[in-house]
């Protein structure tokens, strides 16, 4: 029996239905019945299929189908016969679909459901179809055209139509060596059981190694809907558009579509994450550059990302020490709370504390700690909050540590808000949409219901989502309140405004209008940390990396007031060192926060903000005049070339600290000053905090290569930290000791 005969039998069993949707349902039901009978035919003798009790036409059709199915099964190669089983075992694949399957796939071809982000956005999406026969170029063009219209059909639920996904390649290179012509597969049943919702995510499960460049790679799927071919190509291209050129072949049960659009189907757990490159602050000679100026930083993303990698070390591929650029020393230090004395007045919201101690890694050098504590607003004084949650629901957010964790994290945040505060929800994937209008927190059930309805799927139109969130925040703007957008994403902005400078300009303009932006990043493998940092810094917000629910509780519950309520903005620090007392100095960390000397007094230059109760810590390493630890030699001709030093301060001062800040709503900065005295020492009440923060600073520097830490080892860090755990209410300091042990065991840092 040929293909046309089978099609006629199916049409007789299911006559045409005028309604298109009903017709498609009928065809799918017919296909399901055919597969059921065909599966049964392989488990029983052919003769048992004859049933004279059934209507003659149905029995005849059933018998023909059974005979054809058995014949094709035994005529096909062994691998092909495996595909005919009703439930293919994992890793059992077929090199190509049979003629019968192709015919049935044509009959069952139907548009897949569109990604649903909100009723409003869903209704606005045009439908799109890929023709049954087209070239790779046409497929990609169609996908880009649909994407520009805000519609990427069939992306988030295409796995419902899949019976199998397999990957073959010329070679796959992994830690165990090179495997020639490997075949990896996953069944539709297994994908649905694991919560995999699209082909791209299935590929991430199948190929945890790096496929060698410039090798042909085949991705075969059974019964994949037509529109999903274009979506799959777009998904794969979005993973890493900079990867080397390769040939990608997609088999969807009807045709083979090939392309060489620089596709990387292998997720790289660390290499795919992007961080801004920076060089470690060098040692500077006071006679050449006496002032050091920088913007404060209260972000903590670097620490939690480092913790995730260290916790993975030894457990699976990708674990180990973080890339050096992922380690920002100031964020490691400021992850922990220190008991710096607090200010008593909201009009003077910052109080600096300066201590001087010996450096544990540089004999003859000293450490100057500058600790700042922000004024903590009483509960009755906290302004109302207009909060817009901007959630990335693209396909890459489907794993449990991304969108599901983001939804749990946001639910925790509701505990920190007042009943009169409002929350709105905007999501973005292939298009942006409003899921929840501004809703009072007292109506918590409605907010949680909207959160629970979110599902992942589509590409990532991050810029469109940000613009929609800003529009919503402006519509509900509270003049005397807090207007803030909280962006939750895995950091992959690959559609719309992807240029970092353009995004920065958008955020800066909205900041001037009174709407601020904070960023929470999730997941690993395509984290655009450098974009998150720019958005948060220029949006007067914080950037945090959420890897666990415990971290979400720390950021959004325990430190919620410091994240939401700003008590001082554009906070800058400038230290002028006394050349009569200090020969050299080095700022530990804050490389990405450096400012020019003249920026300190320029109120137009943006800087970091301090929230209610926030703590900020900065550490300088200095070399006193006359110390043998001096790294930079004195100039041979300095005596005749340099003027005599006549410091205005007292001889017992190492330097002079200046802090500039603005009160909320003000445009003119205020100035705080304090001398750095040589006899400052470390008060007994702060000794544990100074020692512990020093241990964290040493640990972070070791992760960055330990250029200036001398003979310091991880064992030294562990000893310092264990001796200064103090009152560790949430166990963060004890956890740090374990991380230091893991770092010691992993080995040398990676570039």
């Amino acid at each position: 029996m040929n293909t046309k005969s089978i099609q006629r039998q199916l049409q007789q069993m299911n006559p045409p239905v005028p309604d298109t949707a009903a017709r498609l349902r009928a065809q799918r039901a017919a296909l399901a019945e055919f597969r059921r009978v065909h599966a049964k035919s392989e488990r029983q003798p052919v003769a048992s299929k004859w049933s004279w009790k059934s209507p003659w036409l149905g029995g005849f059709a059933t018998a023909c189908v059974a005979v054809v199915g058995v014949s094709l099964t035994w005529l096909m190669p062994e691998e092909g016969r495996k595909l005919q089983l009703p439930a293919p075992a994992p890793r059992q694949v077929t090199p190509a679909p049979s003629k019968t399957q192709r015919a049935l796939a044509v009959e069952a071809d139907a548009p897949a459901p569109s990604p649903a982000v909100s009723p409003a956005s869903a209704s606005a999406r045009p439908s799109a179809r890929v023709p049954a026969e087209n070239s790779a170029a046409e497929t990609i063009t169609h996908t880009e055209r649909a994407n520009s219209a805000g519609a990427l059909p069939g992306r988030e639920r295409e796995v419902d139509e899949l019976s199998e996904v397999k990957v073959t390649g010329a070679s796959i290179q992994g830690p165990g060596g090179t495997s020639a012509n490997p075949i990896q597969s996953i069944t539709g049943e297994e994908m649905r059981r694991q919560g995999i919702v699209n082909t791209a995510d299935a590929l991430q499960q199948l190929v945890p190694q790096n496929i060698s460049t410039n090798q042909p790679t085949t991705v075969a799927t059974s019964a994949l809907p037509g529109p999903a071919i274009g979506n799959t190509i777009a998904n794969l291209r979005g993973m890493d558009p900079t990867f080397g050129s390769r040939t990608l072949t997609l088999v969807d049960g009807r045709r083979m579509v090939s392309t060489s659009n620089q596709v990387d189907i292998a997720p790289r757990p660390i290499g795919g994450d992007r961080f801004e490159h920076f060089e470690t602050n060098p040692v500077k000679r006071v006679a050449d550059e006496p002032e050091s100026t920088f913007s404060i930083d209260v972000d903590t993303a670097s620490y939690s990302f480092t913790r995730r990698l260290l916790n993975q070390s030894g457990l699976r591929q990708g674990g180990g020490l973080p890339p050096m650029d992922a380690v920002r020393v100031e964020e490691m230090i400021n992850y922990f709370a220190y008991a710096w004395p607090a200010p008593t007045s909201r009009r003077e919201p910052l109080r600096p504390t300066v201590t001087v101690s010996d450096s544990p890694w540089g004999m003859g050098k000293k450490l100057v700690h500058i600790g700042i504590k922000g004024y903590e607003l009483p509960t009755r004084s906290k302004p109302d909050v207009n909060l817009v949650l901007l959630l990335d629901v693209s396909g890459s957010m489907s794993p449990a540590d991304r969108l599901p964790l983001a939804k749990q994290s946001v639910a925790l945040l509701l505990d920190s808000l007042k009943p009169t505060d409002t929350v709105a929800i905007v999501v973005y994937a292939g298009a942006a949409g409003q899921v929840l209008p501004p809703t009072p927190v007292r109506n918590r059930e409605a907010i949680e219901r909207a959160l629970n309805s979110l599902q992942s799927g589509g590409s990532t139109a991050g810029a469109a989502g940000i613009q929609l969130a800003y529009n919503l925040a402006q519509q509900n703007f509270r003049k005397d309140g807090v207007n803030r957008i909280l962006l939750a994403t895995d950091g992959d902005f690959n559609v719309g405004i992807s240029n970092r400078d353009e995004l920065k300009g958008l955020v800066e303009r909205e900041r001037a209008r009174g709407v601020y932006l904070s960023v929470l990043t999730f997941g690993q493998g395509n984290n655009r940390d450098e974009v998150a940092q720019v958005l948060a810094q220029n949006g007067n917000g914080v950037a945090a990396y959420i890897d666990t629910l415990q971290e979400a509780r720390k950021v959004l519950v325990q430190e919620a007031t410091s994240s939401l309520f700003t008590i001082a903005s554009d906070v800058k620090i400038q230290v002028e060192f006394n050349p009569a007392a200090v020969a050299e100095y080095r700022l530990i960390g804050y490389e990405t926060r450096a400012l020019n000397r003249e920026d300190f007094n320029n109120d137009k230059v943006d800087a970091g903000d301090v929230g209610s109760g926030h703590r900020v810590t900065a550490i300088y390493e200095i070399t006193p005049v006359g110390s043998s630890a001096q790294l930079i030699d004195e100039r041979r001709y300095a005596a005749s070339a340099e003027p005599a030093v006549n410091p205005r301060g007292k001889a017992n001062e190492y330097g002079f600290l200046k802090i500039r800040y603005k009160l909320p709503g003000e445009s003119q900065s205020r100035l705080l000053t304090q001398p750095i005295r040589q006899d400052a020492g470390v008060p007994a009440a702060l000794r544990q905090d100074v020692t512990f923060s020093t241990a964290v600073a040493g640990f972070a520097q070791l992760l960055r290569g330990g250029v200036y830490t001398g003979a310091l080892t991880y064992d030294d860090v562990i000893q310092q930290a264990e001796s200064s755990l103090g009152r560790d209410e949430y166990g963060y300091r004890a956890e740090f000791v374990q991380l230091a042990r893991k770092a010691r065991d992993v080995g040398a840092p990676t570039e």
Side-chain angles (χ1 to χ4, degrees):
M1 183 179 293
N2 58 25
T3 301
K4 292 184 178 179
S5 299
I6 296 176
Q7 291 176 342
R8 285 197 299 270
Q9 296 296 337
L10 290 174
Q11 291 173 356
Q12 293 173 3
M13 294 170 63
N14 294 273
V17 182
D19 178 69
T20 302
R23 178 177 61 81
L24 295 176
R25 287 195 298 270
Q27 289 177 344
R28 287 173 175 168
L31 178 61
E33 175 65 16
F34 170 79
R35 288 174 174 167
R36 184 186 68 78
V37 173
H38 180 54
K40 189 176 180 181
S41 70
E42 291 190 339
R43 295 193 298 269
Q44 299 180 9
V46 175
S48 66
K49 298 298 174 187
W50 292 91
S51 175
W52 300 104
K53 297 180 182 180
S54 304
W56 182 85
L57 182 60
F60 178 75
T62 302
C64 291
V65 166
V67 171
V68 171
V70 173
S71 301
L72 289 176
T73 299
W74 290 106
L75 287 174
M76 292 177 66
E78 182 178 356
E79 272 193 329
R81 293 202 298 271
K82 294 179 182 178
L83 185 61
Q84 306 301 313
L85 297 176
R91 309 304 180 196
Q92 292 177 335
V93 301
T94 177
S98 67
K99 185 176 181 181
T100 303
Q101 289 177 306
R102 291 196 297 270
L104 292 171
V106 171
E107 284 292 315
D109 189 17
S114 301
V117 297
S118 72
S121 62
S123 63
R125 291 184 176 182
S127 60
R129 290 281 310 235
V130 176
E133 297 295 338
N134 59 359
S135 65
E138 292 171 339
T139 301
I140 295 173
T141 301
H142 165 82
T143 301
E144 293 175 344
R145 183 167 60 250
N147 184 31
S148 64
L152 285 173
R155 181 184 295 273
E156 89 283 9
R157 299 309 311 173
E158 67 186 35
V159 74
D160 290 341
E161 302 293 334
L162 297 179
S163 61
E164 183 180 48
V165 172
K166 74 172 182 178
V167 175
T168 65
S171 64
I172 292 182
Q173 296 178 346
T178 300
S179 173
N181 294 319
I183 298 177
Q184 301 186 74
S185 68
I186 184 170
T187 66
E189 179 181 355
E190 185 177 351
M191 285 185 280
R192 288 183 281 276
R193 185 171 60 251
Q194 296 183 16
I196 300 173
V197 297
N198 57 43
T199 308
D201 292 338
L203 296 177
Q204 292 187 17
Q205 289 284 90
L206 293 176
V207 193
Q209 307 97 335
N210 290 327
I211 293 182
S212 58
T213 58
N214 300 319
Q215 296 289 346
T217 301
T218 299
V219 179
T221 64
S222 301
L224 181 64
I229 282 290
N231 294 338
T232 300
I233 293 176
N235 264 339
L236 299 178
R237 293 172 66 193
M239 286 185 185
D240 190 351
T242 63
F243 199 71
S245 177
R246 72 174 74 255
T247 297
L248 172 69
T249 303
L250 299 177
V251 184
D252 74 334
R254 294 180 301 283
R255 62 193 180 282
M256 299 182 68
V257 183
S258 299
T259 181
S260 57
N261 283 274
Q262 297 182 345
V263 178
D264 178 16
I265 67 172
R268 293 174 291 169
I270 300 177
D273 299 308
R274 303 179 191 177
F275 304 90
E276 181 180 356
H277 175 70
F278 60 92
E279 299 294 336
T280 299
N281 280 333
V283 174
K284 296 184 178 181
R285 189 167 176 262
V286 176
D288 298 331
E289 194 174 343
E291 288 94 4
S292 171
T293 309
F294 64 96
S295 164
I296 60 94
D297 187 10
V298 293
D299 296 337
T300 59
S302 178
Y303 181 86
S304 48
F305 186 84
T306 297
R307 176 181 60 202
R308 174 169 186 158
L309 291 184
L310 289 174
N311 283 333
Q312 291 173 352
S313 61
L315 299 179
R316 66 176 179 83
Q317 181 187 0
L321 296 182
M324 289 186 183
D325 287 339
V327 180
R328 292 182 288 271
V329 181
E330 70 280 4
E331 293 187 22
M332 307 283 283
I333 296 171
N334 285 309
Y335 183 85
F336 302 93
Y338 307 109
W340 308 128
T344 58
S345 171
R346 188 173 184 175
R347 301 301 297 174
E348 295 182 0
L350 304 178
R351 179 177 176 180
T353 299
V354 178
T355 67
V356 179
S357 59
D358 292 333
S359 172
W361 56 75
M363 187 69 67
K365 298 187 177 184
K366 294 186 176 295
L367 298 181
V368 176
H369 278 68
I370 300 172
I372 300 174
K373 177 67 183 294
Y375 176 75
E376 189 162 359
L377 294 172
T379 303
R380 66 180 182 276
S381 300
K382 294 177 181 177
D384 288 339
V385 175
N386 166 30
L387 183 65
V388 179
L389 302 175
L390 177 57
L391 304 179
D392 181 352
V393 294
S394 60
S396 62
M397 287 287 286
S398 60
D401 62 344
R402 301 190 188 188
L403 182 59
L405 179 58
K407 294 194 292 186
Q408 292 177 301
S409 303
V410 169
L412 290 176
L413 175 61
L414 299 178
D415 295 329
S416 305
L417 301 176
K418 304 192 303 295
T420 55
D421 296 335
T422 61
V423 173
I425 300 178
V426 173
V427 298
Y428 65 93
Q434 175 183 309
V435 174
L436 182 74
T439 303
V441 175
R442 61 173 171 267
N443 193 3
R444 179 165 181 161
E445 290 184 0
I447 300 174
E448 292 181 337
R449 188 163 53 247
L451 280 174
N452 293 333
S453 69
L454 301 180
Q455 294 183 349
S456 61
S459 60
T460 312
I466 290 177
Q467 186 62 69
L468 179 59
Y470 275 124
N471 293 341
L472 193 59
Q474 289 292 348
Q475 293 172 13
N476 196 45
F477 190 84
R478 299 195 177 189
K479 184 177 181 181
D480 298 323
V482 173
N483 302 278
R484 185 175 293 276
I485 294 172
L486 186 61
L487 167 61
T489 178
D490 62 356
D492 186 13
F493 293 81
N494 56 21
V495 179
I497 302 177
S498 57
N499 183 278
R500 190 170 70 173
D501 292 335
E502 292 184 45
L503 284 171
K504 175 184 174 182
L506 170 65
V507 172
E508 287 177 338
R509 290 191 298 272
E510 295 295 340
R511 180 192 71 206
R513 300 175 63 191
V515 179
Y516 297 162
L517 172 72
S518 293
V519 182
L520 305 179
T521 52
F522 297 81
Q524 181 184 340
N526 60 343
N527 183 11
R528 294 288 302 276
D529 176 82
E530 85 284 13
V531 176
Q533 290 291 319
V534 168
L535 295 181
Q537 290 178 16
N538 291 277
N540 281 9
V542 298
Y545 177 80
I546 308 297
D547 57 334
T548 63
L549 195 58
Q550 181 182 5
E551 181 66 14
R553 183 173 289 106
K554 177 181 185 294
V555 173
L556 299 176
V557 179
Q558 298 165 10
E559 300 174 355
T561 56
S562 59
S563 300
L564 291 175
F565 306 108
T566 301
I567 52 96
S569 60
D570 292 340
V571 183
K572 309 168 189 174
I573 293 178
Q574 186 173 79
V575 176
E576 180 184 356
F577 289 100
N578 179 2
V582 180
E584 301 167 345
Y585 69 89
R586 178 173 65 92
L587 176 60
I588 300 176
Y590 290 94
E591 286 89 354
T592 63
R593 294 283 190 159
L595 296 174
N596 297 322
R597 176 184 178 184
E598 61 273 16
D599 292 340
F600 182 76
N601 292 321
N602 186 351
D603 287 344
K604 296 294 185 181
V605 175
D606 181 61
D609 293 354
V610 175
S612 172
H614 234 143
R615 303 168 181 86
V616 184
T617 303
I619 304 176
Y620 281 95
E621 184 179 47
I622 64 173
T623 305
V625 170
S627 171
S628 59
Q630 188 170 334
L631 292 178
I632 303 175
D633 293 334
E634 293 294 341
R635 292 174 176 166
R636 178 179 179 88
Y637 307 103
S640 59
E642 295 180 355
V645 175
N646 182 24
R648 291 179 295 171
K650 298 180 180 179
N652 65 343
E653 291 178 1
Y654 281 132
F656 194 67
L657 169 66
K658 296 184 289 185
I659 301 175
R660 280 204 175 275
Y661 67 94
K662 299 173 186 174
L663 290 177
E666 294 185 354
S667 58
Q668 186 172 354
S669 64
R670 304 184 179 208
L671 180 65
L672 283 174
T673 62
Q674 181 174 330
I676 303 174
R677 299 174 57 87
Q678 295 183 29
D679 58 355
V682 180
L686 298 177
R687 190 164 295 128
Q688 287 184 328
D689 287 330
V690 169
T691 302
F692 188 83
S693 61
T694 300
V696 177
F699 173 72
Q701 290 178 93
L702 288 176
L703 291 178
R704 286 195 54 80
V707 177
Y708 297 108
T709 53
L712 183 74
T713 66
Y714 287 113
D715 286 325
D716 297 329
V717 168
I718 294 169
Q719 182 180 359
Q720 293 169 19
E722 285 181 329
S723 67
S724 56
L725 292 178
R727 184 173 178 269
D728 189 18
E729 182 178 1
Y730 299 105
Y732 298 137
R733 295 192 179 191
E735 179 188 56
F736 169 79
V737 174
Q738 297 305 317
L739 293 181
R741 289 195 174 102
K742 291 179 180 180
R744 175 194 61 190
D745 297 338
V746 169
T750 60
E751 291 289 352

